[in-house]
Amino acid sequence: KYFDRSNLANKANKEYSSLKDGQLSPYDDIIKQECAIYGWDWRLICAIMYQESKFETWKVSWAGAYGLFGFMPGTGEQYGINPSSPPEAQVKAALKKLDKNYKEWAVEIKDSLECMNFTLATYNSGRGHIDDARRLCEKYGKDKNIWTGHVNEMLLNLSKPQYYRDDLVKNGYCRGVETYEYIIDIRQRYEEYKAAFPDENVIANR
């Protein structure tokens, strides 16, 4: 509701969709199939995939994250994939991990939008850093269950010595700005994808 949907549709078609003919990515069919199993909106998964790799299987980040969904080697091994895994396996692994993280957060965070923010944050930087930011929220009078203006601000502070050296912080320094911007970018792109590719029949309980 905060965006001009006609402008978003044009932007998504121009900048973010790698193919024409009503496709967001080369992997739409695989994504839709897996999202139907987990109850996720396929356009959100496409937004995450674009953020991680721009739909390019060969991408490797400065930190060593690889593939369509930016799996770190250790995490990829846990979910049965490696840099040579086919796209279908990578999509399945990403949905499995995202759904697991979402269900874990849903125990504490009942608002679905907030729960998704924490899920995306965990996917990007790991649960440990998010827990550190939440502990700092309690110390500094912020709400540990609200992302924007609360946990995301404490995550930014985890790049400053006076915060990451606090006895409450168990996982040390974090480049919080990456996760801070990661969620903003995915949320905006998701809105653009919804505007450009409306789908009344999509399963979207996430």
Side-chain angles (χ1 to χ4, degrees):
K1 66 182 180 181
Y2 301 104
F3 301 97
D4 181 330
R5 301 195 74 80
S6 61
N7 287 339
L8 291 176
N10 290 335
K11 186 174 182 181
N13 276 302
K14 183 177 180 181
E15 295 186 25
Y16 297 139
S17 181
S18 60
L19 300 178
K20 298 179 179 179
D21 303 322
Q23 288 184 288
L24 278 176
S25 80
Y27 312 105
D28 285 2
D29 290 343
I30 299 171
I31 294 170
K32 289 177 182 179
Q33 178 181 316
E34 291 303 309
C35 283
I37 295 172
Y38 288 97
W40 284 62
D41 188 331
W42 69 279
R43 297 164 298 185
L44 174 59
I45 300 304
C46 283
I48 297 170
M49 183 192 287
Y50 182 90
Q51 186 72 19
E52 294 289 351
S53 68
K54 293 184 172 59
F55 308 136
E56 297 169 339
T57 58
W58 53 268
K59 286 282 187 180
V60 178
S61 77
W62 64 269
Y66 63 81
L68 293 171
F69 287 93
F71 271 90
M72 293 297 289
T75 305
E77 185 176 353
Q78 292 177 28
Y79 288 87
I81 63 167
N82 58 60
S84 299
S85 296
E88 183 175 3
Q90 295 185 43
V91 171
K92 288 181 177 181
L95 262 295
K96 186 175 182 179
K97 185 181 190 314
L98 285 162
D99 197 64
K100 175 179 179 290
N101 291 158
Y102 184 92
K103 287 176 178 176
E104 289 172 347
W105 280 115
V107 174
E108 298 182 62
I109 301 175
K110 304 306 179 183
D111 181 89
S112 60
L113 178 60
E114 292 295 345
C115 190
M116 182 55 68
N117 287 334
F118 282 87
T119 298
L120 294 173
T122 300
Y123 190 87
N124 182 250
S125 67
R127 177 69 186 249
H129 291 306
I130 308 306
D131 285 339
D132 283 341
R134 294 180 81 217
R135 283 189 282 268
L136 290 174
C137 279
E138 292 183 307
K139 178 174 180 176
Y140 290 98
K142 292 184 175 290
D143 193 326
K144 69 176 184 178
N145 292 329
I146 297 177
W147 180 254
T148 302
H150 295 265
V151 178
N152 69 342
E153 290 189 2
M154 288 297 109
L155 193 66
L156 284 175
N157 285 334
L158 283 174
S159 64
K160 304 172 184 177
Q162 63 265 40
Y163 291 95
Y164 69 72
R165 290 176 180 167
D166 192 303
D167 289 341
L168 290 173
V169 174
K170 309 302 181 185
N171 298 278
Y173 171 90
C174 176
R175 292 178 62 175
V177 66
E178 293 188 2
T179 304
Y180 183 98
E181 294 177 350
Y182 179 86
I183 292 177
I184 293 172
D185 289 345
I186 287 176
R187 284 292 185 186
Q188 181 176 351
R189 187 167 295 111
Y190 178 39
E191 291 298 323
E192 291 160 359
Y193 283 176
K194 288 193 293 183
F197 299 89
D199 186 350
E200 298 299 325
N201 297 317
V202 69
I203 297 174
N205 60 17
R206 292 284 182 269

